[in-house]
Amino acid sequence: MAGYVFGLVLHPTRDVSEVVGLIGRWAVRHGKTLAVRAEDRHRVPASVEALPADQLAARSDALISIGGDGTMLGALRSAVRTPKPVLGVHLGKVGFLVEVEPPELPRALERLVAHDFTVESHACLACDVCGDDVVAFNDIALVRQPGAGFVAATLAVDGQRYGFYRCDALVVSTPTGSTAYSYAAGGPLVSPATQAVVVTPSAPMAGISRSVVLSPDESIHLELRPDSAPVAVEMDGLVIRDAATEGSVHVRYVRDAGLVVRLDPRRYQERNQLKLSLLDLPLLPEQLRELLPDGLREQLNRRELPPPR
């Protein structure tokens, strides 16, 4: 493949044909190449080149994730060995990583090719899960099977044992992942500008009952206890091991593992602030007004002007 290559990463189940068609027409007009994983070949036009999944990131200049945060996380994981800029196109519901709406794509693609964007660097968790190497950009979690008891595990940091957990689930997250499973389990919201690892138990019954925030330079070791129920191990919400009854998870923080394209960082932060307000960080009325589209905001301002005397 010659010239600038966009690698397309598609939502696994949603209909992405409209967005793929928009990108395809733009690519034809501008002489750019599109590629996709071989298993998604049937979902794209014949002009899109199919590549083995493990080669898509390496042979692309940039990746375009079409979906929500889950799709974006998959794109970042696919490029962790050869990080490439990833542009997120929003087809989800409450996405914290994706920035671009489909109507904004033509201009976004022009800026991507012209390198007119900033890169937001993301860390990942490099994990040894019972002997298997995996990476997670949001979190790695040990989750109990319903009706089968509790997750029972010990925590060690840099080889020093700290205590044990007995809980429904145990979540180790990055700052990016702090708004996901860890947050739902009662963990803190951590600024994405912070470098840290958060360990949060969900519904703790005994042992450590609060979130533990650790340095990115500390290694984390979780060991299942003999009295633990069978657990599922999830990576960014995907089950990678089911019904584990023994073994360990070793977690290491890796800086600059993913590159997310930001075209308008300030507007992106404002949108995320609004999304967080839907959780439990309420905004002031005047802050909500600033997040409205320009035309609607001007209409409201005109309505509230006092009548001329």
Side-chain angles (χ1 to χ4, degrees):
M1 294 184 294
Y4 201 99
V5 179
F6 290 115
L8 305 181
V9 180
L10 312 182
H11 187 283
T13 59
R14 295 194 64 172
D15 181 5
V16 297
S17 56
E18 183 176 347
V19 174
V20 170
L22 192 159
I23 297 172
R25 291 188 293 274
W26 185 93
V28 169
R29 290 195 304 271
H30 293 82
K32 307 305 177 185
T33 301
L34 301 182
V36 74
R37 298 182 308 170
E39 51 263 47
D40 290 325
R41 182 72 190 88
H42 64 288
R43 304 176 64 193
V44 298
S47 57
V48 180
E49 184 163 351
L51 295 173
D54 60 356
Q55 295 183 25
L56 181 64
R59 297 175 62 179
S60 299
D61 295 284
L63 297 177
I64 302 176
S65 167
I66 306 172
D69 277 359
T71 311
M72 189 78 169
L73 291 169
L76 290 170
R77 288 195 303 270
S78 74
V80 72
R81 296 188 185 280
T82 54
K84 299 292 176 69
V86 182
L87 175 70
V89 183
H90 190 236
L91 290 183
K93 296 178 181 177
V94 184
F96 284 92
L97 285 172
V98 289
E99 178 180 1
V100 175
E101 301 293 335
E104 302 167 338
L105 256 175
R107 177 58 181 151
L109 295 173
E110 291 173 6
R111 291 184 59 182
L112 197 56
V113 172
H115 299 283
D116 179 19
F117 59 89
T118 60
V119 168
E120 182 180 273
S121 179
H122 283 254
C124 78
L125 302 176
C127 311
D128 179 329
V129 179
C130 304
D132 295 330
D133 292 330
V134 299
V135 296
F137 278 87
N138 258 8
D139 49 47
I140 189 90
L142 307 180
V143 185
R144 80 180 185 106
Q145 294 187 329
F150 299 93
V151 176
T154 57
L155 169 69
V157 180
D158 281 347
Q160 176 68 43
R161 295 186 66 178
Y162 268 66
F164 74 96
Y165 295 93
R166 183 175 171 82
C167 53
D168 280 0
L170 190 53
V171 187
V172 184
S173 73
T174 63
T176 299
S178 71
T179 58
Y181 200 164
S182 177
Y183 174 84
L189 291 174
V190 181
S191 167
T194 301
Q195 296 191 31
V197 182
V198 182
V199 186
T200 301
S202 174
M205 297 291 292
I208 303 170
S209 61
R210 297 289 185 268
S211 294
V212 176
V213 181
L214 298 167
S215 157
D217 297 318
E218 294 176 303
S219 64
I220 300 165
H221 189 80
L222 300 171
E223 184 86 27
L224 286 179
R225 290 161 51 101
D227 59 335
S228 179
V231 303
V233 182
E234 296 182 0
M235 170 203 66
D236 289 343
L238 302 174
V239 176
I240 58 172
R241 186 173 287 267
D242 197 12
T245 56
E246 61 180 11
S248 62
V249 175
H250 189 79
V251 182
R252 181 171 57 86
Y253 184 96
V254 180
R255 297 172 173 85
D256 304 324
L259 307 176
V260 175
V261 171
R262 291 287 172 240
L263 302 173
D264 188 347
R266 180 177 178 275
R267 184 66 174 171
Y268 167 77
Q269 290 173 356
E270 289 173 343
R271 287 176 179 174
N272 270 1
Q273 190 177 10
L274 176 59
K275 291 166 185 173
L276 285 173
S277 76
L278 300 176
L279 301 177
D280 65 358
L281 296 181
L283 296 177
L284 296 170
E286 56 267 29
Q287 291 177 295
L288 287 171
R289 182 186 294 269
E290 287 302 312
L291 295 178
L292 293 173
D294 293 339
L296 181 56
R297 186 169 62 247
E298 292 170 3
Q299 289 180 23
L300 288 175
N301 290 339
R302 285 197 297 270
R303 289 178 183 176
E304 295 179 3
L305 288 174
R309 295 185 178 181

